């Protein structure tokens, strides 16, 4: 079964709620009850929670599935990828990974976390296993097929 495709801002908000200890059902209840104030307390610069709440009310099944079973992000910039690594996996640049220009190098993730990231990562990035224990996450250049 194909994973739910989700825009980056919604993915980051879901991960922020998880980071702050909200379980799936509790988070869904906050969205259903339009608890903007409570969610803004955990925002840390995340886009306006009202956008996710409105999206949830328009696409309830999609958001519920994304929260409960996972999702794939539709597109990621390098900065957004760094934000995802920080929020979801508590990785810090220059401590847990290096910015090497077009890619992130020496990304320090457990095998379990790596598989989770692999499943959610936008198609414009590729995880490359190195000979070392860590991996690189490289920008994927898809060429149009004729």
């Amino acid at each position: 079964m194909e994973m739910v495709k989700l825009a980056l801002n919604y993915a980051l908000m879901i991960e922020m709620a998880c980071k702050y200890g909200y379980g799936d059902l509790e988070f869904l209840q906050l969205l259903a009850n339009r608890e903007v104030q409570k969610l803004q307390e955990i925002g840390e610069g995340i886009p306006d929670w009202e956008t996710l709440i409105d999206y949830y009310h328009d696409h309830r099944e999609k958001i519920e599935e994304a929260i409960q079973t996972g999702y794939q992000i539709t597109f990621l910039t390098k900065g957004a990828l760094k934000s995802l690594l920080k929020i979801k996996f508590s990785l810090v640049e220059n401590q847990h990974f290096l910015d090497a220009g077009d890619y992130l190098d020496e990304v320090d993730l457990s095998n379990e976390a790596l598989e989770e990231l692999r499943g959610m990562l936008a198609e414009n990035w590729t995880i490359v296993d190195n000979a070392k224990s860590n991996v690189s996450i490289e920008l994927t250049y898809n060429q149009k097929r004729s």
Side-chain angles (χ1 to χ4, degrees):
M1 186 167 114
E2 188 173 307
M3 294 192 80
V4 170
K5 304 263 189 214
L6 204 57
L8 169 69
N9 59 332
Y10 301 140
L12 291 178
M13 287 186 253
I14 289 169
E15 296 307 332
M16 185 65 68
C18 182
K19 176 183 173 182
Y20 278 86
Y22 287 108
D24 294 351
L25 296 178
E26 183 181 14
F27 183 50
L28 289 169
Q29 195 65 40
L30 291 173
L31 295 174
N33 293 336
R34 298 185 177 272
E35 298 277 350
V36 176
Q37 201 63 24
K38 202 169 212 180
L39 292 169
Q40 286 177 336
E41 294 171 8
I42 65 169
E44 292 184 22
I46 298 296
D48 187 357
W49 287 91
E50 288 182 27
T51 61
L52 178 59
I53 290 170
D54 290 343
Y55 190 80
Y56 168 78
H57 284 275
D58 292 340
H59 306 278
R60 184 178 306 255
E61 288 179 11
K62 182 176 183 176
I63 293 298
E64 287 175 356
E65 184 177 342
I67 290 170
Q68 294 173 339
T69 64
Y71 56 86
Q72 181 181 24
I73 298 171
T74 54
F75 183 82
L76 276 173
T77 63
K78 183 172 65 172
L81 175 56
K82 290 179 184 182
S83 294
L84 178 65
L85 292 174
K86 179 180 179 185
I87 292 168
K88 175 99 177 133
F89 302 104
S90 301
L91 299 186
V92 177
E93 185 174 356
N94 296 323
Q95 184 178 349
H96 300 108
F97 65 89
L98 301 172
D99 184 337
D102 285 345
Y103 64 98
L104 301 181
D105 199 18
E106 299 183 29
V107 182
D108 188 12
L109 284 172
S110 69
N111 288 337
E112 183 179 313
L114 183 60
E115 287 309 307
E116 187 174 3
L117 178 63
R118 194 180 307 273
M120 69 190 320
L121 200 59
E123 292 177 0
N124 63 312
W125 291 93
T126 303
I127 294 176
V128 178
D129 294 317
N130 293 328
K132 306 175 194 174
S133 60
N134 297 337
V135 299
S136 296
I137 304 174
E138 299 181 357
L139 190 58
T140 301
Y141 295 98
N142 288 330
Q143 296 181 4
K144 290 186 178 180
R145 296 182 180 164
S146 28

